[in-house]
Amino acid sequence: MAGSLRNRLFGLRELVDELAFRAPARLAVTVFACVVVLFAALLTVPFATADGEGARLVDALFTAVSAVCVTGLVVQDTATYWSLYGQIVILAGIKVGGFGIMTVASLLGMIVSRKIGLTQKLLTASETKTSRLGDVGSLIRVIIVTATTLELSIALLIFPRLVVIEENVGTAAWHALFYGISAFNNAGFVPTTEGLMPHVGDWALVLPIALGVFIGALGFPVILNIQRALPRPGQRWHNWTKRLSLHSKLTLVTSGALLAVGALLLLVLEWANPDTFGPLTLGEKLLAALFAGIMPRSGGFSTVDVGAMTESSWLIQDALMFVGGGSASTAGGIKVTTLAVMLLAIVAEARGDRDIEAFGRRIPRDVLRLSIAVVFTGASIVLVSCIALLEVTDLPLSQVLFEVLSAFATVGLSTGITFDLPDAGKYVLALLMFVGRTGAVTVVAVLALRDRRRIVRFPEERPIIG
């Protein structure tokens, strides 16, 4: 009996492996769609809402997509509209969605590596020492252990502070766990109506959440690479960064630069705004700017009213949201390595260099081609979505663009218009969240797998550029 069950499971695994190898994009989209439908169904039951009447289909579907795609946009207040059961379903959706994103992205990377014969192309394949798709069990275990450990660490860091803030220890523990999972997975869901805005200057609460979002946005390959590169007890720390991969270095440097630039610009632009940073002390302003600089990377939390920010600040956040976080992370956007490769290509062209180089390594030209494809695809999706949302609402372009980018990059920040969107607008954003979550990963996998080898090549001729 046990042997028969083992054979069936082995056959199922081989079938999934074959499907993943031949049609990875289709598999990824199908899996996420099935998960979304499941959680939407769980949220439509009457006892999922606080009033016991049940949620409308559009609200349940929107919330399920937002949770599974770890976005954080909501059309109903999480704390008051949903019952404890509903909140648990949302949290489970975040956990499953975040785990699924990292796993699917990592597995697709391994598929691409295997298909084109470059076993070192993605860090995940080399760092986990996984050479074939049938050996992904160790990869999945590492992802689960790493993610859960970091989520619980965030929860434990903020729990003492929440004990002081909340009415009882049980509520504090629940909110700490909720924030821990939501922060690491860059989900942006909050278990209270006010969220973090009453705690804008609370370093003990806000800083661990910001740190969790930043780490989660780096991506599993980078987290694992850092873990392996750190010196063991008794080893010296000298030049430990040399053991980091090129992908990790590009992700860390670009993420740090975007954080510094974003936080500084938002601090300057909102310094005197009476509705945001204006009434705050110097320390509170610095913390609010740091927090606001991290969240557009896909976090979605806010300690000030985003809708009260200036349009210049919205534009800065638009740019940060479009870039997003690291590859194979819970963050969305075109990814920081895509931006890094594009910038390095510009630098190489300006210098007249033949190759794109960084940290003593040469970046293949096909990576640049993939980066251009990802940027163009992302910009096209945002453009079409903006047009669609403008057609079904009477909202100004500045707010529509912000909301569209927040959905596409699975961020969750909002100027406050999501609650009042018509059903057609909710469906547009729900579809956009789904496409933004699955699109970048699958597009890269599909394009990388379509590597045609041609015997005959046409003569070269340069068109005029610029």
Short mmCIF file of all heavy atoms in Angstrom, two decimals, residues 97-123:
data_model
loop_
_atom_site.label_atom_id
_atom_site.label_comp_id
_atom_site.label_asym_id
_atom_site.label_seq_id
_atom_site.Cartn_x
_atom_site.Cartn_y
_atom_site.Cartn_z
N GLY A 97 0.87 32.70 -0.53
CA GLY A 97 1.27 33.48 -1.70
C GLY A 97 2.75 33.83 -1.67
O GLY A 97 3.45 33.68 -2.68
N GLY A 98 3.24 34.28 -0.51
CA GLY A 98 4.66 34.62 -0.41
C GLY A 98 5.55 33.43 -0.62
O GLY A 98 6.55 33.49 -1.35
N PHE A 99 5.19 32.30 0.00
CA PHE A 99 5.96 31.07 -0.19
C PHE A 99 5.91 30.61 -1.64
O PHE A 99 6.92 30.23 -2.23
CB PHE A 99 5.42 29.97 0.73
CG PHE A 99 5.88 28.60 0.37
CD1 PHE A 99 7.19 28.22 0.57
CD2 PHE A 99 4.99 27.68 -0.19
CE1 PHE A 99 7.62 26.95 0.22
CE2 PHE A 99 5.41 26.41 -0.54
CZ PHE A 99 6.73 26.04 -0.33
N GLY A 100 4.71 30.68 -2.23
CA GLY A 100 4.56 30.25 -3.62
C GLY A 100 5.35 31.10 -4.59
O GLY A 100 5.94 30.59 -5.54
N ILE A 101 5.39 32.41 -4.33
CA ILE A 101 6.12 33.31 -5.21
C ILE A 101 7.60 32.98 -5.20
O ILE A 101 8.25 32.85 -6.25
CB ILE A 101 5.90 34.78 -4.77
CG1 ILE A 101 4.46 35.21 -5.10
CG2 ILE A 101 6.90 35.71 -5.47
CD1 ILE A 101 4.01 36.41 -4.32
N MET A 102 8.18 32.83 -4.01
CA MET A 102 9.61 32.53 -3.92
C MET A 102 9.92 31.17 -4.53
O MET A 102 10.93 31.00 -5.22
CB MET A 102 10.05 32.57 -2.45
CG MET A 102 10.07 33.96 -1.86
SD MET A 102 10.80 34.02 -0.21
CE MET A 102 9.56 33.15 0.75
N THR A 103 9.03 30.20 -4.28
CA THR A 103 9.27 28.85 -4.80
C THR A 103 9.14 28.81 -6.31
O THR A 103 10.00 28.27 -7.01
CB THR A 103 8.29 27.85 -4.17
OG1 THR A 103 8.42 27.91 -2.75
CG2 THR A 103 8.57 26.45 -4.64
N VAL A 104 8.04 29.37 -6.84
CA VAL A 104 7.82 29.35 -8.28
C VAL A 104 8.93 30.10 -9.01
O VAL A 104 9.45 29.64 -10.03
CB VAL A 104 6.44 29.94 -8.63
CG1 VAL A 104 6.31 30.17 -10.13
CG2 VAL A 104 5.34 29.01 -8.15
N ALA A 105 9.31 31.27 -8.47
CA ALA A 105 10.37 32.03 -9.11
C ALA A 105 11.68 31.26 -9.11
O ALA A 105 12.43 31.26 -10.09
CB ALA A 105 10.55 33.38 -8.40
N SER A 106 11.97 30.61 -7.99
CA SER A 106 13.20 29.84 -7.90
C SER A 106 13.18 28.64 -8.83
O SER A 106 14.15 28.35 -9.54
CB SER A 106 13.42 29.36 -6.45
OG SER A 106 13.54 30.46 -5.57
N LEU A 107 12.04 27.93 -8.88
CA LEU A 107 11.94 26.76 -9.75
C LEU A 107 12.00 27.16 -11.22
O LEU A 107 12.63 26.48 -12.03
CB LEU A 107 10.64 26.00 -9.46
CG LEU A 107 10.55 25.33 -8.10
CD1 LEU A 107 9.24 24.57 -7.97
CD2 LEU A 107 11.72 24.39 -7.87
N LEU A 108 11.34 28.26 -11.58
CA LEU A 108 11.42 28.72 -12.96
C LEU A 108 12.86 29.09 -13.33
O LEU A 108 13.31 28.86 -14.45
CB LEU A 108 10.49 29.92 -13.18
CG LEU A 108 9.00 29.61 -13.25
CD1 LEU A 108 8.20 30.89 -13.38
CD2 LEU A 108 8.68 28.68 -14.41
N GLY A 109 13.56 29.65 -12.36
CA GLY A 109 14.97 29.95 -12.61
C GLY A 109 15.77 28.68 -12.87
O GLY A 109 16.63 28.64 -13.75
N MET A 110 15.46 27.63 -12.10
CA MET A 110 16.15 26.37 -12.31
C MET A 110 15.79 25.75 -13.66
O MET A 110 16.62 25.17 -14.34
CB MET A 110 15.81 25.40 -11.18
CG MET A 110 16.40 25.82 -9.84
SD MET A 110 15.53 25.06 -8.45
CE MET A 110 15.61 23.34 -8.89
N ILE A 111 14.53 25.91 -14.07
CA ILE A 111 14.10 25.40 -15.37
C ILE A 111 14.87 26.10 -16.48
O ILE A 111 15.36 25.48 -17.42
CB ILE A 111 12.58 25.61 -15.55
CG1 ILE A 111 11.81 24.74 -14.55
CG2 ILE A 111 12.15 25.29 -16.96
CD1 ILE A 111 10.36 25.14 -14.42
N VAL A 112 14.96 27.42 -16.39
CA VAL A 112 15.69 28.19 -17.40
C VAL A 112 17.14 27.74 -17.43
O VAL A 112 17.73 27.54 -18.50
CB VAL A 112 15.59 29.70 -17.11
CG1 VAL A 112 16.51 30.48 -18.03
CG2 VAL A 112 14.15 30.17 -17.27
N SER A 113 17.74 27.58 -16.25
CA SER A 113 19.13 27.13 -16.18
C SER A 113 19.30 25.79 -16.86
O SER A 113 20.22 25.59 -17.65
CB SER A 113 19.57 27.00 -14.72
OG SER A 113 20.03 28.20 -14.21
N ARG A 114 18.41 24.87 -16.56
CA ARG A 114 18.51 23.53 -17.12
C ARG A 114 18.30 23.57 -18.63
O ARG A 114 19.01 22.90 -19.38
CB ARG A 114 17.45 22.65 -16.45
CG ARG A 114 17.38 21.23 -17.01
CD ARG A 114 16.21 20.51 -16.36
NE ARG A 114 16.04 19.18 -16.91
CZ ARG A 114 15.01 18.40 -16.64
NH1 ARG A 114 14.06 18.84 -15.83
NH2 ARG A 114 14.92 17.21 -17.18
N LYS A 115 17.35 24.36 -19.09
CA LYS A 115 17.00 24.37 -20.50
C LYS A 115 18.13 24.92 -21.36
O LYS A 115 18.45 24.36 -22.40
CB LYS A 115 15.73 25.21 -20.70
CG LYS A 115 15.31 25.38 -22.16
CD LYS A 115 14.88 24.09 -22.77
CE LYS A 115 14.39 24.30 -24.20
NZ LYS A 115 13.99 23.05 -24.84
N ILE A 116 18.74 26.03 -20.94
CA ILE A 116 19.74 26.65 -21.80
C ILE A 116 21.15 26.22 -21.45
O ILE A 116 22.11 26.69 -22.03
CB ILE A 116 19.64 28.19 -21.73
CG1 ILE A 116 19.95 28.69 -20.33
CG2 ILE A 116 18.28 28.66 -22.16
CD1 ILE A 116 19.87 30.19 -20.19
N GLY A 117 21.26 25.29 -20.48
CA GLY A 117 22.56 24.67 -20.23
C GLY A 117 23.53 25.52 -19.44
O GLY A 117 24.72 25.25 -19.43
N LEU A 118 23.07 26.56 -18.75
CA LEU A 118 23.96 27.39 -17.94
C LEU A 118 23.57 27.20 -16.48
O LEU A 118 22.70 27.89 -15.97
CB LEU A 118 23.85 28.87 -18.33
CG LEU A 118 24.23 29.19 -19.78
CD1 LEU A 118 23.97 30.66 -20.07
CD2 LEU A 118 25.69 28.86 -20.02
N THR A 119 24.21 26.26 -15.82
CA THR A 119 23.80 25.89 -14.46
C THR A 119 24.07 26.96 -13.42
O THR A 119 23.56 26.88 -12.31
CB THR A 119 24.54 24.62 -14.02
OG1 THR A 119 25.95 24.84 -14.12
CG2 THR A 119 24.16 23.43 -14.90
N GLN A 120 24.85 27.95 -13.78
CA GLN A 120 25.14 29.01 -12.83
C GLN A 120 24.35 30.28 -13.13
O GLN A 120 24.61 31.32 -12.53
CB GLN A 120 26.64 29.35 -12.84
CG GLN A 120 27.53 28.18 -12.46
CD GLN A 120 27.25 27.71 -11.07
OE1 GLN A 120 27.05 28.51 -10.18
NE2 GLN A 120 27.23 26.40 -10.86
N LYS A 121 23.40 30.23 -14.06
CA LYS A 121 22.74 31.46 -14.48
C LYS A 121 21.93 32.09 -13.35
O LYS A 121 21.94 33.29 -13.19
CB LYS A 121 21.83 31.21 -15.68
CG LYS A 121 21.20 32.48 -16.19
CD LYS A 121 20.88 32.40 -17.65
CE LYS A 121 20.40 33.76 -18.13
NZ LYS A 121 20.26 33.84 -19.55
N LEU A 122 21.25 31.28 -12.59
CA LEU A 122 20.50 31.82 -11.45
C LEU A 122 21.12 31.31 -10.17
O LEU A 122 21.51 30.14 -10.06
CB LEU A 122 19.03 31.39 -11.50
CG LEU A 122 18.13 32.24 -12.39
CD1 LEU A 122 16.69 31.85 -12.16
CD2 LEU A 122 18.30 33.71 -12.14
N LEU A 123 21.21 32.17 -9.21
CA LEU A 123 21.87 31.83 -7.94
C LEU A 123 21.18 30.68 -7.23
O LEU A 123 21.82 29.85 -6.62
CB LEU A 123 21.87 33.06 -7.04
CG LEU A 123 22.41 32.86 -5.63
CD1 LEU A 123 23.88 32.54 -5.70
CD2 LEU A 123 22.17 34.08 -4.79
#
